[in-house]
């Protein structure tokens, strides 16, 4: 592969997690809960899932009441599986995220969940999502952090910290892949990537009140309930010190300034200041 990154075609064929239906539907429930807390119900909305792969999240978005649901990806095998199962209520499109085939301002809700690290030009995709999002629309973002200790795809500590050549050697030595394709950014880099948007951070609200956001599996058992209670009561100034190392950020972005519509939470959403 050398130094040139190319599009990851047929991604679902070599990342089995994309075909884990139960896990993907649980993620969808969390995504929908966050969107509805910020934006309100999906009923009557045109919704797009950018990087939809096998379509489980798109199907859940349709089931939550979206008027029109679209799934966009370059993963042709995944799209075929998705269309076979969910094509009656979701429109699946084979398309590049840097050239979304939709008019300006035509989408009310966009989902971009753990995709940016896989694409060749994430800034280009973000610019396209800004173009197609309506003025009153929302963009949900699940964003991996380069400084998260455990790399989420290959479960290797500090993998995302390494420069590309060393990362390639690390995954080869582990026997888990020939190359490390993914490119994560730090929180600062993500803020820069989203600088055209107004962004709210839902990371700590979801962690502190997981049941409210369909994330009860985040803290299983008695020990988990203790951890959740501690998070809910920890001063926000202390939690902010952890932000650079949080493995995943859950953000909601808008083109115009807006505030969350949902009820108050023990750890409320906070604005993410742009760079």
């Amino acid at each position: 592969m050398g130094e040139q990154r190319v599009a990851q075609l047929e991604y679902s064929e070599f990342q089995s997690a994309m075909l884990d239906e139960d896990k993907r539907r649980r993620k969808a429930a969390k995504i929908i809960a966050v969107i509805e807390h910020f934006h309100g119900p999906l009923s009557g909305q045109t919704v797009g899932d950018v990087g939809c792969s096998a379509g489980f999240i798109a199907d859940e978005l349709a089931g939550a009441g979206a008027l029109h649901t679209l799934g966009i990806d370059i993963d042709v095998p995944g799209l075929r599986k998705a269309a076979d199962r969910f094509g009656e209520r979701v429109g699946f499109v084979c398309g590049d995220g840097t050239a979304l085939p939709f008019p300006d301002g035509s989408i009310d809700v966009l989902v971009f969940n753990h995709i940016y690290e896989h694409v060749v030009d994430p800034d280009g995709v973000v610019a396209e999502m800004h173009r197609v999002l309506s003025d009153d629309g929302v963009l949900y973002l699940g964003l991996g952090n380069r400084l998260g200790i455990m790399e989420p795809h290959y479960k290797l500590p500090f993998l995302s910290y390494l420069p590309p050549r060393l990362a390639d050697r690390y995954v080869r030595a582990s026997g888990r892949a020939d190359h490390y394709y993914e490119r994560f950014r730090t929180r600062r880099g993500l803020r820069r990537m989203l600088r055209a948007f107004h962004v709210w951070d839902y990371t700590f609200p979801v962690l502190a009140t997981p049941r409210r956001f369909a994330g009860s599996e985040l803290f299983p058992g008695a020990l988990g309930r203790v951890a959740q209670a501690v998070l809910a009561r920890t001063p926000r100034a202390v939690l902010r010190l952890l932000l650079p190392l949080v493995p995943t950020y859950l953000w909601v972005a808008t083109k115009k300034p807006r505030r969350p519509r949902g009820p108050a939470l023990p750890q409320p959403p906070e604005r993410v200041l742009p760079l």
Side-chain angles (χ1 to χ4, degrees), residues 121-184:
D121 181 11
D123 296 288
V125 178
V126 168
E128 270 293 272
M129 292 192 296
H130 189 277
R131 178 185 68 79
V132 303
L133 190 67
S134 67
D135 286 345
D136 295 322
V138 297
L139 165 62
Y140 173 94
L141 300 133
L143 302 166
N145 175 15
R146 183 179 180 185
L147 299 183
I149 303 300
M150 187 65 70
E151 202 280 343
H153 303 92
Y154 301 100
K155 310 303 182 187
L156 295 170
F158 302 108
L159 174 60
S160 56
Y161 284 54
L162 300 175
R165 289 183 184 277
L166 287 179
D168 283 348
R169 292 178 184 177
Y170 191 6
V171 293
R172 281 198 294 270
S174 74
R176 301 184 189 184
D178 293 327
H179 298 281
Y180 182 56
Y181 182 92
E182 289 73 15
R183 297 289 182 270
F184 286 96

Side-chain angles (χ1 to χ4, degrees), residues 29-30 33 205-222 224-225 228 265:
K30 180 173 64 179
V206 171
L207 291 174
T209 48
R211 294 192 180 210
R212 172 66 179 77
F213 292 102
S216 56
E217 80 281 356
L218 295 173
F219 294 106
R225 288 193 291 274
Q228 176 190 334
L265 298 166

Side-chain angles (χ1 to χ4, degrees), residues 21-264:
E21 182 166 351
D22 288 343
K23 186 175 181 180
R24 300 297 288 174
R25 290 191 184 278
R26 288 196 302 270
K27 284 190 175 184
K30 180 173 64 179
I31 290 167
I32 291 166
V34 169
I35 292 170
E36 290 186 338
H37 184 272
F38 184 90
H39 180 65
L42 293 179
S43 56
Q45 305 283 286
T46 297
V47 179
D49 182 12
V50 180
C52 66
S53 192
F56 301 120
I57 291 176
D59 183 57
E60 290 290 328
L61 293 166
L67 179 63
H68 302 292
T69 307
L70 303 162
I72 307 97
D73 211 311
I74 57 171
D75 176 5
V76 173
L79 286 173
R80 286 179 180 146
K81 293 182 178 74
D84 287 344
R85 288 194 61 183
F86 314 123
E88 289 188 2
R89 62 176 180 175
V90 179
F92 292 101
V93 179
C94 184
D96 186 338
T98 60
L100 295 172
F102 311 122
D104 295 0
S106 59
I107 310 294
D108 301 305
V109 177
L110 283 169
V111 172
F112 193 55
N113 186 52
H114 293 284
I115 302 298
Y116 88 90
E117 69 270 21
H118 300 289
V119 303
V120 177
D121 181 11
D123 296 288
V125 178
V126 168
E128 270 293 272
M129 292 192 296
H130 189 277
R131 178 185 68 79
V132 303
L133 190 67
S134 67
D135 286 345
D136 295 322
V138 297
L139 165 62
Y140 173 94
L141 300 133
L143 302 166
N145 175 15
R146 183 179 180 185
L147 299 183
I149 303 300
M150 187 65 70
E151 202 280 343
H153 303 92
Y154 301 100
K155 310 303 182 187
L156 295 170
F158 302 108
L159 174 60
S160 56
Y161 284 54
L162 300 175
R165 289 183 184 277
L166 287 179
D168 283 348
R169 292 178 184 177
Y170 191 6
V171 293
R172 281 198 294 270
S174 74
R176 301 184 189 184
D178 293 327
H179 298 281
Y180 182 56
Y181 182 92
E182 289 73 15
R183 297 289 182 270
F184 286 96
R185 301 186 183 190
T186 63
R187 181 178 175 86
R188 183 177 179 82
L190 294 170
R191 287 167 60 197
R192 186 178 298 113
M193 185 173 76
L194 274 297
R195 62 188 177 275
F197 287 92
H198 301 271
V199 180
W200 287 82
D201 193 336
Y202 270 79
T203 307
F204 289 135
V206 171
L207 291 174
T209 48
R211 294 192 180 210
R212 172 66 179 77
F213 292 102
S216 56
E217 80 281 356
L218 295 173
F219 294 106
L223 187 60
R225 288 193 291 274
V226 171
Q228 176 190 334
V230 170
L231 271 171
R233 292 174 173 81
T234 300
R236 199 55 172 268
V238 174
L239 292 179
R240 288 192 197 105
L241 297 176
L242 303 176
L243 280 173
L245 297 178
V246 169
T248 298
Y249 302 116
L250 306 179
W251 290 356
V252 172
T254 61
K255 292 170 73 168
K256 292 184 176 181
R258 289 180 56 184
R259 298 187 64 83
R261 294 183 179 179

